[in-house]
Amino acid sequence: MPPDTTPIYLDHAATTPLCVEARDCLQACLTAPLGNPSSPHGPGQAAAARIATAAGQLSYVIGAQADEIVWTSGATEASNLALRGVAAFAERGDRNRPVRIISCVTEHSATRDTLKALEKQGVEVVWLAVDAQGRIDMEALEAALARPCDLVSLMHVNNETGLVHDLVRIAEVCQTHGVALHVDAAQSLTRLALDVSTTPIALMSMSAHKIGGPPGIGALYVRRRPRIGLTPQIIGGGQQQGRRAGTLPTHQIAAFGAAAAAAEAEREASQTRYRRLGERLWHGLSCINGVTRNHPPAAIGAAPFVNVSVAGVHGEALRTGLAYGQPNIALSGGSACSAARGASSYVLRAMGRSVEAAAASLRLTLGPGIDAAAVDRVVARVAEETTRLRALAGRPA
Amino acid sequence: MSTGSVVIDRFLTPAHAAADSDIDQWHIEAGQYTSGNGVWCWLLVQPVYAHSYRARFLAYGPPAVIAAADWLCERIERDGIDAAARIKPADVGVALDLAASERHIGILVIDALATAASNLGR
């Protein structure tokens, strides 16, 4: 029997294929006579109704009210709105101190770069360090909160390693100190249980294309009570109660809602399956000489993530060899957003890994369509390509 | 970083990679490690008969390094060491359609070739 050369997609943390529910919803919206959802006529109200349905679906998943959802172009814009919006609001009026925000060195570049830009504008940012697993020190957070602060911004699940921050405890600490918490939930929405009605989160960034929805749409949860001050960053219309201007993309929003509902309905079953497959994948990779683990133990890790470093090979060569060999394997060395810059993983470096290990890392993220046979083929290919590249460098396999 | 098809083809199936057994059997070799940014290239050049050479490489680096080393070995075998020694880094970039950010790889492999040619003359 000829070898199975079907491409294998293991980059679900970067983006996910469109799910059936979202695709059907998109098609329905694009062929229906929908108007501008802000218009009072029939077609406009039909669009508004679809957006209301999506808001209901997404808010149900996170335990929010529908009017606490602000639609954005994605999680990056949502985080920009949260961070810049809070900073701009806090700067209003008389202040005797700069705006102060606490975050972490392993945040996604959407948060990291936005905070670095705010630092240049005078905002004081406290960067919390992480341990070898990627966890923040809760005592360091408490110490940072001892001084007046305007916001804490942390991701729920790290986009490279799958490390799950202890959000419940972090939120409680923030609440105790009376400081609002922004959560980047791009990697945790519908992968982990999220409930803003029981966890005191003020702002939460979400993305559609990480959960089977279309790219180009995301949302920011903005808590109503107690109110969080947020200055709009996009103006030019009164849409979304003035919180984010611009005509709403009905088809994308409706598909986001459909994807969220579908993924949430499958959450427990799918995450259990990914946990099993992830353990199989790690077990296989760990048998390759020189492979070390970067993803955390199951107790503090999101199920779909496997992250390893491979000694004795150049990371870009390994990833390219896997991408263009047979079968094609789509994976990444870290964040797709960082890959665009050609940099080694700052997340792994912050966790204490060497520059070489950080550069020679593979992030494999599981999703729909991956089964045990596909996992075994990936392990075999990584072993084969590693051996080939080491031989090209005159090194033992 | 986007990688062109010329580089990918040579990277996946280099014709001039030195096998372990290859290295042991070479009685005369001339080469040089040229390293930078954790990337290196080692060329093995052996005279076969008058003006004819056999060339192999060992390399560690991104696909473009493997491809450039393989291309250079091909040129050495086809044109001889003297002609190959006239190749410039920019020629490597053009031949492999390297992106601007990969042009330094031409310097890496040409440095290795220059030392290999020098060693052969000793």
Side-chain angles (χ1 to χ4, degrees), chain A residues 113-125:
Chain A
D113 290 357
T114 304
L115 287 176
K116 284 181 182 292
L118 287 171
E119 273 185 314
K120 290 177 183 169
Q121 296 168 21
V123 172
E124 182 187 340
V125 180

Side-chain angles (χ1 to χ4, degrees), chain A residues 325-338:
Chain A
Q326 290 293 335
N328 296 170
I329 300 171
L331 46 72
S332 65
S335 161
C337 305
S338 296

Side-chain angles (χ1 to χ4, degrees), chain A residues 53-106:
Chain A
T53 299
Q57 289 169 314
L58 182 58
S59 59
Y60 176 77
V61 169
I62 63 169
Q65 301 297 313
D67 65 356
E68 292 176 313
I69 301 294
V70 176
W71 303 109
T72 63
S73 63
T76 295
E77 188 200 320
S79 291
N80 267 264
L81 173 57
L83 299 168
R84 293 178 188 274
V86 166
F89 189 88
E91 279 170 352
R92 302 192 318 184
D94 293 333
R95 291 176 64 91
N96 56 5
R97 65 171 178 85
V99 174
R100 190 161 176 269
I101 298 175
I102 298 169
S103 190
C104 172
V105 292
T106 53

